[in-house]
């Protein structure tokens, strides 16, 4: 069973940068597409970015295009979210998600516990 642990959140001023990390353990990491989602207070969880199992295809929600970059290191079982030019509206709890690729033996989806990002104006 895959376990995901996020880190790297914190308080940053508008215009600043942060790098979130998600460490995976307990499974075959390169059988999963990885994604980042976020949830602001009083709002539903929303998609931010995703990357395929080998890291050569990434998707971004429009509101982060050009500011956030998702990447992964399959040797280290890590996925990252580089965030720049942060805005107060980026304030949220950021979650890491693992989705099994179609050919993976595991069919389960996994979530991390989240890491808080707060952007002050």
């Amino acid at each position: 069973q895959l376990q995901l642990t996020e880190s790297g959140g914190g308080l940053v001023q508008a215009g600043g940068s942060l790098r979130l990390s998600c460490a995976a353990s307990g499974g075959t990491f390169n059988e999963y597409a990885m994604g980042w989602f976020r949830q602001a207070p009083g709002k539903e969880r929303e998609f931010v970015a995703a990357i395929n199992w080998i890291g050569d295809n990434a998707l971004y929600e429009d509101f982060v295009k050009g500011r956030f970059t998702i990447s992964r290191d399959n040797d280290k079982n890590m996925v990252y979210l580089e965030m720049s030019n942060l805005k107060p509206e980026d304030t949220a709890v950021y979650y890491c998600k693992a989705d099994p690729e179609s050919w993976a033996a595991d069919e389960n989806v996994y979530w991390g516990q989240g890491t808080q990002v707060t952007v002050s104006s």
Side-chain angles (χ1 to χ4, degrees):
Q1 187 171 3
L2 200 66
Q3 296 176 334
L4 303 175
T5 305
E6 301 97 332
S7 62
L11 174 64
V12 64
Q13 288 188 331
S17 301
L18 280 175
R19 185 174 90 153
L20 305 183
S21 300
C22 174
S25 62
T28 306
F29 182 65
N30 60 10
E31 290 187 351
Y32 299 86
M34 300 300 297
W36 286 95
F37 288 70
R38 69 186 188 186
Q39 188 166 19
K43 295 187 177 181
E44 293 188 354
R45 192 171 298 188
E46 61 183 0
F47 170 77
V48 174
I51 191 166
N52 68 338
W53 71 278
I54 200 170
D56 63 356
N57 188 24
L59 296 172
Y60 297 92
E61 188 55 78
D62 285 345
F63 52 71
V64 302
K65 283 182 179 177
R67 300 190 298 125
F68 292 9
T69 302
I70 188 171
S71 63
R72 66 188 294 161
D73 185 336
N74 285 350
D75 291 334
K76 296 181 179 179
N77 290 358
M78 298 289 294
V79 62
Y80 306 99
L81 187 69
E82 297 274 2
M83 306 185 295
S84 63
N85 191 21
L86 283 160
K87 305 175 181 181
E89 52 264 42
D90 293 319
T91 295
V93 177
Y94 283 71
Y95 296 91
C96 178
K97 180 187 179 187
D99 276 293
E101 296 284 3
S102 59
W103 38 264
D106 188 7
E107 296 181 347
N108 295 311
V109 173
Y110 301 96
W111 291 91
Q113 83 290 347
T115 186
Q116 176 70 47
V117 172
T118 303
V119 184
S120 63
S121 57

